Amino acid sequence: MSKILDTFLEENLQALHEQGLYNEIDPVESANGPIIKVRGKNLVNLSSNNYLGLATNDELKEVAKKTLDDYGVGAGAVRTINGTLDLHVKLEEKLAEFKGTEAAISYQSGFNCNMAAISAVMDKNDAILSDQLNHASIIDGCRLSKAKIIAYNHSDMDDLRAKAKAAKESGLYNKIMVITDGVFSMDGDIAKLPEIVEIAKEFDLITYVDDAHGSGVTGKGKGTVKHFGLENEIDFQIGTLSKAIGVVGGYVAGKKQLIDWLKVRSRPFLFSTALPPADVAAITRAVQIIIDSTELHDKLWENGDYLKKGLADLGFDIGASETPITPCIIGDEKLTQEFSKRLFEEGVYAKSIVFPTVPKGTGRVRNMPTAAHTKEMLDDALAIYAKVGRELGVIK
Ligand SMILES: Cc1ncc(COP(=O)(O)O)c(C=O)c1O
């Protein structure tokens, strides 16, 4: 066993503990529904990405069980050998229908979808304009591609335009791409896609939107690109199958030629085993549920609006979210952590998010209401927020 490794781990773990930055993980002792059990305690769950409640949906569970009996537990191989089941083909057709594109390709996670798709197209002779607040998987996907990464200030269209112009006029790059989250998960704000498309047209940029937190939520459930009617303008529509869709995986939707290229050049598709059959069947049904009806979407927004109004009426700073994601901005990092801890003790599971995930002094407790919450659950949560907020002096 390596002594150097032991020393490295010991020193760094100790430093994290001393700075209060070591994240202790609480195992959830139940399904990840609107009420969860943690350390034996039942809590109103405001921390999952299970926006539409589909992770615990009975119909999806039945579909998964039946498929498990028919196909077994694993896909057995990577997609390009014999891991492509008819179920994967059906799923990808359904995703293309969902996103209004010619074709789609699925991956084992949203994270590895970004690793796969960016590096399949961009290389060291290219440049990527990336919103400063883009998700870690986008940042890592950009790094893997070896393209020059040019970060622009968050949703600052003047900055994007200036940097796109400079990159184009430098003549240094073969291709230039602009990448943004569709919905930013820490604040719940929506990317300015119409302006981004306009800038992309002006400077001949490839457009890439990761709508992990938008699909199922914005555009009547069909996502942020649909919300703005830009299906024919965005080259890469990325999504996860693990948040509103409720299962696991990621995908790219776009032109057939793009998807054909990703099938031969994106490495996680070529070198990592395909999504398991039961998951694939459940995902396909989940997407159909979202296509067929806005019922869950409408309930999610109703609950989001209810929680936001309740918190704002109590006097909390809920930021400028445009989606059901509801940050409750406390400010000081230590106070934020104490706030989240007290919520837990009183019966609400809402995680604190502090620097470096968000800027210093903007520590927050982030709330994610879902379609599966009842008004009673939200009322219970609001009563606890009121009690803890007054006790810690965050509200009067
Ligand atoms: C914008 C964005 N992309 C990708 C991911 C990763 O998705 P997954 O959890 O499916 O790997 C996330 C997850 O938080 C995300 O917010």
Side-chain angles (χ1 to χ4, degrees):
M1 294 298 210
S2 160
K3 272 229 153 46
I4 294 180
L5 177 63
D6 284 349
T7 312
F8 166 82
L9 294 173
E10 222 164 276
E11 286 176 5
N12 286 289
L13 281 170
Q14 197 182 336
L16 285 181
H17 281 294
E18 279 167 13
Q19 292 158 28
L21 293 176
Y22 189 82
N23 187 16
E24 298 287 353
I25 298 169
D26 291 319
V28 176
E29 297 148 7
S30 63
N32 203 336
I35 302 288
I36 50 172
K37 195 171 180 189
V38 178
R39 286 184 248 146
K41 215 171 147 63
N42 285 327
L43 305 156
V44 180
N45 177 16
L46 291 175
S47 281
S48 84
N49 295 315
N50 179 22
Y51 290 110
L52 300 178
L54 290 172
T56 52
N57 178 285
D58 288 337
E59 190 187 338
L60 299 190
K61 286 197 277 187
E62 283 313 311
V63 168
K65 281 182 205 165
K66 163 96 177 57
T67 313
L68 205 64
D69 285 340
D70 294 345
Y71 285 80
V73 293
V78 301
R79 292 287 302 272
T80 45
I81 299 185
N82 64 358
T84 295
L85 307 173
D86 53 356
L87 300 171
H88 292 97
V89 177
K90 275 191 208 143
L91 168 63
E92 287 162 348
E93 286 167 2
K94 193 53 67 190
L95 288 169
E97 178 191 339
F98 179 44
K99 289 287 148 176
T101 59
E102 287 176 7
I105 179 172
S106 60
Y107 293 95
Q108 302 86 346
S109 78
F111 198 105
N112 99 15
C113 174
N114 281 325
M115 306 296 281
I118 301 169
S119 61
V121 170
M122 304 302 280
D123 63 35
K124 64 180 181 348
N125 301 309
D126 300 325
I128 302 173
L129 295 151
S130 175
D131 188 289
Q132 183 194 17
L133 294 190
N134 277 343
H135 187 256
S137 58
I138 297 179
I139 296 170
D140 286 6
C142 291
R143 286 179 181 155
L144 188 64
S145 76
K146 299 196 175 71
K148 168 83 177 164
I149 301 165
I150 305 168
Y152 61 91
N153 296 334
H154 175 53
S155 278
D156 180 341
M157 294 299 109
D158 291 337
D159 195 39
L160 172 60
R161 181 182 296 280
K163 286 176 174 159
K165 186 169 189 292
K168 184 78 187 166
E169 288 176 356
S170 74
L172 289 171
Y173 310 111
N174 288 344
K175 307 191 278 308
I176 309 174
M177 178 183 266
V178 54
I179 303 193
T180 182
D181 278 25
V183 170
F184 291 88
S185 61
M186 293 302 139
D187 291 285
D189 54 324
I190 297 177
K192 295 174 180 162
L193 293 188
E195 289 94 325
I196 290 176
V197 164
E198 204 183 291
I199 295 167
K201 281 190 176 151
E202 197 175 334
F203 299 105
D204 196 18
L205 313 178
I206 299 166
T207 47
Y208 187 112
V209 177
D210 179 348
D211 209 23
H213 290 271
S215 281
V217 177
T218 53
K220 291 274 169 212
K222 297 201 172 137
T224 310
V225 172
K226 171 80 180 169
H227 168 76
F228 289 113
L230 294 170
E231 297 95 314
N232 293 324
E233 309 290 344
I234 301 295
D235 297 302
F236 288 75
Q237 289 196 54
I238 310 300
T240 73
L241 301 166
S242 57
K243 301 188 195 298
I245 309 289
V247 191
V248 69
Y251 61 93
V252 182
K255 286 216 163 121
K256 181 173 179 306
Q257 222 176 6
L258 169 65
I259 304 308
D260 286 348
W261 177 252
L262 295 175
K263 283 182 178 166
V264 293
R265 276 294 175 276
S266 57
R267 294 168 70 80
F269 186 87
L270 298 168
F271 299 115
S272 181
T273 298
L275 281 168
D279 291 340
V280 174
I283 296 163
T284 309
R285 182 62 63 89
V287 175
Q288 190 66 56
I289 290 173
I290 301 173
I291 291 174
D292 287 346
S293 163
T294 62
E295 193 185 328
L296 293 174
H297 160 277
D298 297 346
K299 185 82 179 113
L300 164 68
W301 281 81
E302 191 187 311
N303 281 345
D305 290 345
Y306 188 80
L307 184 69
K308 273 184 180 161
K309 183 171 181 322
L311 288 171
D313 286 351
L314 286 170
F316 286 103
D317 174 1
I318 58 162
S321 172
E322 301 170 81
T323 61
I325 295 172
T326 306
C328 194
I329 301 167
I330 310 287
D332 178 76
E333 283 71 25
K334 281 230 157 67
L335 181 59
T336 308
Q337 277 160 345
E338 175 64 14
F339 196 95
S340 167
K341 190 166 154 257
R342 285 288 298 123
L343 288 177
F344 180 97
E345 286 161 4
E346 294 294 332
V348 170
Y349 197 89
K351 277 296 231 192
S352 61
I353 314 236
V354 295
F355 179 79
T357 310
V358 292
K360 267 205 175 115
T362 71
R364 67 205 53 200
V365 174
R366 191 178 49 149
N367 301 286
M368 316 276 250
T370 72
H373 286 91
T374 61
K375 285 277 175 318
E376 292 68 34
M377 293 172 193
L378 297 177
D379 284 337
D380 287 349
L382 285 167
I384 292 168
Y385 256 97
K387 178 174 180 203
V388 173
R390 289 192 189 110
E391 176 191 303
L392 296 180
V394 177
I395 54 167
K396 294 203 183 86

